[in-house]
């Protein structure tokens, strides 16, 4: 019975996460938290690895029970395989994702003063879109002019400030470029 409960719990968590993730993305709600629990690499405690462990534990337990394997061996096999799968998920999925996230994402302070190009015209007292390059990667972000002026697509700008993930930009003019190049 415990195997069925853990397997169903793991499946329900995965489905619920998928549905709620898409729901919150659709309404643009962002509840990011930076809670990191770091134990030894041998004990990867992250929500995704815990759910992988629970789901595999339940699934393997159900399969072994249906095949007539003794309960103690069923438990040991389920624990071993669940731990192995959780460790593989951590090692080959979570660690690479964290490395990519940490190396490619620039902090907002580093972006102030960075050159950009307007991709979608910035409307007067409205929004547009800019593109900028950081660490060899091109990023697109919503933007406004600092004084609410219209800026045509293709215009070179630089990032002055970032508030609430809105990039405030100013046009690059001839005098500014001369001062920078000197």
């Amino acid at each position: 019975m415990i195997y069925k409960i853990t397997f169903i719990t793991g499946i329900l968590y995965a489905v619920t996460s998928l549905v709620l993730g898409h729901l919150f993305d659709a309404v643009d709600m962002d509840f990011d938290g930076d809670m990191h629990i770091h134990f030894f690499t041998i004990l990867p405690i992250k929500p995704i690895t815990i759910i992988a462990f629970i789901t595999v534990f339940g699934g393997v337990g159900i399969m072994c029970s249906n095949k007539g394997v003794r309960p103690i061996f069923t438990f040991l096999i389920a624990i071993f395989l669940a731990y192995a799968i959780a460790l593989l998920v951590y090692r080959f999925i979570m660690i690479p994702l964290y490395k990519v996230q940490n190396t490619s994402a620039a902090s907002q302070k580093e972006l102030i003063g960075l050159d950009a190009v307007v991709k979608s015209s910035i409307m007067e007292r409205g929004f547009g879109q800019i593109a900028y390059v950081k660490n060899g990667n091109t990023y697109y972000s919503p933007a406004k002019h600092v004084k609410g002026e219209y800026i045509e697509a293709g215009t070179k700008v630089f990032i002055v400030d970032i508030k609430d993930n809105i990039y405030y930009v100013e046009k690059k003019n001839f005098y500014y470029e001369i001062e920078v190049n000197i």
Side-chain angles (χ1 to χ4, degrees), residues 55-97:
T55 307
V56 171
F57 175 78
V60 170
I62 291 169
M63 289 189 302
C64 288
S65 295
N66 289 340
K67 295 288 184 185
V69 178
R70 292 176 139 179
I72 188 69
F73 291 127
T74 298
F75 179 76
L76 292 174
I77 292 169
I79 287 284
F80 175 76
L81 287 177
Y83 183 77
I85 296 298
L87 193 61
L88 289 172
V89 165
Y90 182 74
R91 173 66 179 98
F92 293 110
I93 295 174
M94 299 306 296
I95 290 176
L97 285 177

Side-chain angles (χ1 to χ4, degrees), residues 116-170:
V117 175
V118 176
K119 287 297 179 183
S120 296
S121 296
I122 298 174
M123 298 296 126
E124 186 174 337
R125 286 184 241 114
F127 294 91
Q129 185 180 47
I130 60 167
Y132 60 92
V133 177
K134 181 71 177 172
N135 297 331
N137 296 318
T138 302
Y139 298 94
Y140 297 88
S141 298
K144 289 179 100 174
H145 185 270
V146 289
K147 296 177 185 171
E149 296 175 7
Y150 173 82
I151 303 177
E152 188 175 332
T155 305
K156 291 183 181 184
V157 295
F158 63 96
I159 300 168
V160 176
D161 197 9
I162 303 170
K163 292 180 185 171
D164 298 326
N165 291 323
I166 306 295
Y167 289 62
Y168 291 87
V169 297
E170 179 66 67

